[in-house]
Amino acid sequence: MTTTFNTIGLIGKPNHEGAGTTLQRLYTFLQALGYEVLVEDRVAEQIKSLPDDAVVELVELGKRCDLAIVVGGDGNMLGAARVLARFDVAVIGVNRGNLGFLTDLNPEGFEAQLEAVLSGQFIEESRFLLEVAVYRHHQLKSANLAMNEAVLHADKVAHMIEFEAFIDDEFVFSQRSDGLIVSTPTGSTAYSLSGGGPILTPELNAISLVPMFPHTLSSRPLVVDAEKEVKLKLSLENTDSLQVSCDSHVVLAVLPGDEVVIKKAEKKLRLIHPKCYSYYNVLRQKLNWGSRLY
């Protein structure tokens, strides 16, 4: 067998029985194949007979591994992606969640497909992330990455906010709405899709701006080149506490008058799939689209 990867990291959903079972199977399987296996410290207790030197933090795992296997749902993949994108590490997922747009391998019989991947039989693609930054009086206050989307919203449900949107410093629109979803192609099948946004296929270098319950029927989703910088200026008239959520995991506080700058991050995630992977097949399965007529 031709070895493409040498050191493999295991990342999972903490305190989840099903994920723990899969992590144990993965560890035993990879050890039997002779790979060096590192395990993220948050899930190490779910694997039996694990040596201490095999337990590492996520950042260290990213630095040392050639391949990271994420066991869980898309949320676990997103959390890992925001860290692993900084390193040249390939990532594949075993689905232990619900939809599983980003996690390809079946937990009930992953061995054959994974062994093929390990021998070099896989499809690799790059998925870009968003860099999200909050500025107050031209001073950077906070920043983070988003794999799916950055969402500007009030911290209370169904509270309207007011803001202006700029693309590369050119004024585009002002809006009163519940907020705005700025999505990558990866995130276009997530929260953005629920908000009426378009599906962007992964190879597109584009981002979508999707208004959330706008106070005018003329507001529509807008797709722009991902090389453009999106800037949202918050009106001083806003009275509610505001937030920018990154993948619904990381929350950045925003005040009236602040500016939120969203742009394509320099680092990308190396996502790999089995050879049989088809993006359109995933869409058909997950969104219950019709099968072929003939």
Side-chain angles (χ1 to χ4, degrees), residues 162-216:
E162 191 170 38
F163 59 92
E164 294 179 334
F166 296 78
I167 306 294
D168 278 354
D169 286 324
E170 182 177 352
F171 175 70
V172 181
F173 58 76
S174 60
Q175 190 173 102
R176 297 184 71 242
S177 66
D178 280 15
L180 186 74
I181 304 168
V182 181
S183 172
T184 66
T186 301
S188 69
T189 51
Y191 191 41
S192 172
L193 185 64
S194 300
I199 294 175
L200 306 178
T201 54
E203 74 278 4
L204 289 176
N205 188 42
I207 55 179
S208 61
L209 282 64
V210 181
M212 300 167 60
F213 303 102
H215 199 236
T216 171

Side-chain angles (χ1 to χ4, degrees), residues 49-252:
S49 305
L50 188 64
D52 290 342
D53 60 0
V55 180
V56 296
E57 294 182 347
L58 185 55
V59 171
E60 184 66 18
L61 186 148
K63 290 178 180 178
R64 294 172 56 184
C65 289
D66 308 302
L67 173 69
I69 303 175
V70 181
V71 180
D74 286 342
N76 298 98
M77 180 66 87
L78 295 173
R82 288 193 299 273
V83 176
L84 297 179
R86 288 183 269 163
F87 310 102
D88 187 30
V89 52
V91 182
I92 193 169
V94 180
N95 187 24
R96 273 293 184 180
N98 295 316
L99 276 177
F101 270 99
L102 296 173
T103 49
D104 297 332
L105 300 179
N106 188 326
E108 303 308 322
F110 60 80
E111 285 88 352
Q113 281 192 326
L114 181 56
E115 191 162 6
V117 166
L118 295 174
S119 68
Q121 300 176 49
F122 57 83
I123 299 168
E124 180 173 339
E125 61 177 350
S126 295
R127 299 286 185 96
F128 73 82
L129 288 77
L130 296 175
E131 184 180 296
V132 187
V134 176
Y135 289 87
R136 189 168 303 146
H137 307 303
H138 306 292
Q139 299 261 331
L140 178 64
K141 301 303 292 183
S142 58
N144 216 295
L145 295 175
M147 179 81 184
N148 268 359
E149 73 279 307
V151 183
L152 171 66
H153 59 98
D155 68 350
K156 297 178 182 177
V157 176
H159 276 239
M160 195 163 287
I161 63 176
E162 191 170 38
F163 59 92
E164 294 179 334
F166 296 78
I167 306 294
D168 278 354
D169 286 324
E170 182 177 352
F171 175 70
V172 181
F173 58 76
S174 60
Q175 190 173 102
R176 297 184 71 242
S177 66
D178 280 15
L180 186 74
I181 304 168
V182 181
S183 172
T184 66
T186 301
S188 69
T189 51
Y191 191 41
S192 172
L193 185 64
S194 300
I199 294 175
L200 306 178
T201 54
E203 74 278 4
L204 289 176
N205 188 42
I207 55 179
S208 61
L209 282 64
V210 181
M212 300 167 60
F213 303 102
H215 199 236
T216 171
L217 294 177
S218 63
S219 292
R220 290 290 183 267
L222 175 65
V223 178
V224 301
D225 192 299
E227 302 305 322
K228 304 289 186 181
E229 179 185 272
V230 177
K231 183 183 294 181
L232 308 176
K233 292 186 177 181
L234 281 298
S235 169
L236 291 169
E237 303 301 316
N238 292 306
T239 56
D240 292 314
S241 297
L242 308 172
Q243 298 176 343
V244 177
S245 299
C246 300
D247 296 336
S248 301
H249 286 201
V250 180
V251 175
L252 309 179

Side-chain angles (χ1 to χ4, degrees), residues 8-12 22-24 26-28 30 37-41 43 47 61 65 67-71:
I8 300 175
L10 299 183
I11 301 164
T22 301
L23 284 165
Q24 181 66 66
L26 276 166
Y27 182 76
T28 303
L30 294 170
V37 184
L38 302 179
V39 180
E40 184 191 11
D41 54 358
V43 296
I47 298 177
L61 186 148
C65 289
L67 173 69
I69 303 175
V70 181
V71 180

